[in-house]
């Protein structure tokens, strides 16, 4: 067993700050879509949206670590992007404490959303918080436990591709009347892809734990190909949905993520989980392409207006 870290460091590890790359960019993009639709941009409201994201993030990582503690214990080769925070595996935090922390943060998310909704005239905000937590419950815990039954990709796609950008839109605009639903379609696809990618390094451990992730069901090589095809679909969808952008701005949006995706192809053939370095390179580049999509699209919408 690894030496335990200090309590502060243990909780920082449990918070998994790198995983926030799945949370903040969709919130930013939702706000950028609202700005492009004429809602303006209020820094105070942005702080509310990102505060929602911080609490949602902590609820997700704490709850998933707690729910996956047995599977994580079988994973002898975790990476910074997968395999959990390891605080339960090495005994740095007791499972009961981490589970309690997940419940506390979930309660804060609901209470904070209700308070913000009341103060800011955003009555649907607590409902969006409840939706985010419902997806988490279905993803990780019985009776749904979708991540073990082959539906985790769908729920992650809905969570990061629909709920989070909708929160960003709603907090800035104050209305759900003109939500650009079609603009969320590529984000749902990319959220689906993100789940495939982060499951790739864990494929052997997930198979041992009877966790039916996409790489376990499809095999690692096919899962990598699936991820890249769906990543391409997501990028192409951006050209068809959302606010109209001229070709130059579309180049700004799609150029950087497309380059990251092409770079990932260099490792696609040999990135089995057993080849840890190659697998991590592939996952980092492909997942980086997804993050870049959110950043470049947001940038274009804010600058183009």
């Amino acid at each position: 067993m690894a030496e335990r870290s200090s309590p502060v460091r243990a909780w920082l590890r449990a918070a998994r700050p790198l995983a926030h790359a799945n949370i903040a960019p969709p919130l930013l993009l939702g706000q950028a879509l609202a700005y492009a639709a004429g809602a303006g941009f209020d820094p105070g409201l942005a702080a509310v949206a990102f505060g929602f994201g911080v609490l949602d993030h902590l609820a997700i990582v704490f709850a998933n670590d707690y729910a996956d503690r047995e599977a994580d214990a079988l994973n002898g080769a975790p990476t910074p992007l997968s395999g959990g925070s390891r605080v339960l595996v090495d005994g740095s935090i007791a499972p009961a404490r981490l589970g309690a922390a997940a419940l506390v943060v979930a309660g804060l998310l609901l209470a904070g959303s209700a308070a913000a909704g009341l103060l800011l005239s955003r009555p649907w905000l607590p409902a969006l918080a409840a939706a985010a937590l419902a997806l988490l419950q279905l993803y990780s815990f019985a009776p749904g436990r979708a991540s073990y039954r082959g539906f985790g990709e769908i729920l992650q796609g809905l969570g990061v591709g629909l709920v989070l950008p909708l929160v960003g839109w709603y907090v800035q605009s104050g209305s759900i009347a003109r939500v650009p639903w079609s603009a969320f379609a590529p984000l749902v696809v990319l959220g689906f892809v993100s789940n495939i990618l982060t499951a790739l390094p864990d494929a052997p451990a997930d198979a041992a734990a009877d966790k039916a992730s996409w790489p376990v069901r499809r095999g690692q090589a096919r899962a990598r190909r699936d991820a890249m095809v769906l990543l391409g679909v997501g990028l192409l969808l951006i050209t068809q949905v959302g606010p109209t952008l001229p070709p130059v701005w579309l180049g700004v949006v799609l150029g950087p993520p497309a380059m990251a995706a092409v770079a990932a192809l260099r490792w696609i053939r040999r990135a089995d989980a057993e080849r840890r370095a190659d697998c991590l390179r592939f996952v980092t580049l492909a997942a980086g392409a997804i993050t870049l999509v959110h950043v470049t699209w947001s940038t274009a919408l804010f600058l183009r207006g």
Side-chain angles (χ1 to χ4, degrees), residues 60-176:
I60 290 169
V61 295
F62 290 168
N64 283 346
D65 254 16
Y66 180 82
D68 289 345
R69 60 193 184 278
E70 295 179 2
D72 288 343
L74 298 174
N75 191 337
T79 74
L81 302 177
S82 62
S85 69
R86 317 304 288 174
V87 296
L88 299 184
V89 175
D90 65 19
S92 297
I93 299 176
R97 291 188 67 194
L98 192 64
L103 289 174
V104 168
V105 175
L108 289 173
L109 176 61
L110 287 172
S113 297
L118 181 63
L119 293 172
L120 301 173
S121 299
R122 303 294 195 272
W124 287 101
L125 194 56
L128 291 172
L133 293 174
L135 289 172
L136 172 58
Q137 168 69 32
L138 288 170
Y139 185 90
S140 295
F141 297 98
R145 222 178 183 204
S147 63
Y148 283 77
R149 298 182 177 181
F151 302 100
E153 306 86 10
I154 296 173
L155 294 187
Q156 182 163 332
L158 291 174
V160 302
L162 178 59
V163 174
L164 289 178
L166 183 56
V167 168
W169 165 279
Y170 180 58
V171 168
Q172 284 291 347
S173 71
S175 172
I176 59 172

Side-chain angles (χ1 to χ4, degrees), residues 15-297:
R16 300 188 67 188
L18 280 177
H20 202 61
N22 290 324
I23 305 295
L27 286 165
L28 176 65
L29 183 50
Q31 294 175 81
L33 288 165
Y35 179 82
F41 181 82
D42 185 316
L45 293 177
V48 171
F50 289 123
F52 181 106
V54 169
L55 292 174
D56 188 30
H57 165 85
L58 291 176
I60 290 169
V61 295
F62 290 168
N64 283 346
D65 254 16
Y66 180 82
D68 289 345
R69 60 193 184 278
E70 295 179 2
D72 288 343
L74 298 174
N75 191 337
T79 74
L81 302 177
S82 62
S85 69
R86 317 304 288 174
V87 296
L88 299 184
V89 175
D90 65 19
S92 297
I93 299 176
R97 291 188 67 194
L98 192 64
L103 289 174
V104 168
V105 175
L108 289 173
L109 176 61
L110 287 172
S113 297
L118 181 63
L119 293 172
L120 301 173
S121 299
R122 303 294 195 272
W124 287 101
L125 194 56
L128 291 172
L133 293 174
L135 289 172
L136 172 58
Q137 168 69 32
L138 288 170
Y139 185 90
S140 295
F141 297 98
R145 222 178 183 204
S147 63
Y148 283 77
R149 298 182 177 181
F151 302 100
E153 306 86 10
I154 296 173
L155 294 187
Q156 182 163 332
L158 291 174
V160 302
L162 178 59
V163 174
L164 289 178
L166 183 56
V167 168
W169 165 279
Y170 180 58
V171 168
Q172 284 291 347
S173 71
S175 172
I176 59 172
R178 296 186 297 123
V179 174
W181 297 107
S182 64
F184 298 154
L187 305 183
V188 172
V189 173
L190 295 175
F192 190 107
V193 174
S194 182
N195 187 276
I196 297 174
L197 293 170
T198 53
L200 282 167
D202 293 340
D206 285 346
D210 293 324
K211 185 176 183 179
S213 67
W214 190 277
V216 170
R217 303 196 311 272
R218 295 275 291 167
Q220 294 184 54
R222 291 175 69 184
R224 292 194 297 272
R225 292 195 295 269
D226 294 343
M228 296 309 295
V229 169
L230 289 171
L231 176 55
V233 169
L235 294 178
L236 287 175
L237 278 174
I238 291 172
T239 68
Q240 305 300 314
V241 300
T244 301
L245 292 171
V248 171
W249 284 104
L250 277 177
V252 170
V253 173
L254 299 178
M259 287 189 288
V262 170
L265 292 174
R266 176 183 178 186
W267 311 101
I268 192 169
R269 291 187 177 181
R270 56 186 185 184
D272 285 347
E274 292 76 13
R275 297 175 177 265
R276 306 302 290 178
D278 290 346
C279 183
L280 190 56
R281 290 186 186 99
F282 173 79
V283 171
T284 300
L285 287 166
I290 294 173
T291 300
L292 280 171
V293 168
H294 293 82
V295 173
T296 57
W297 200 3

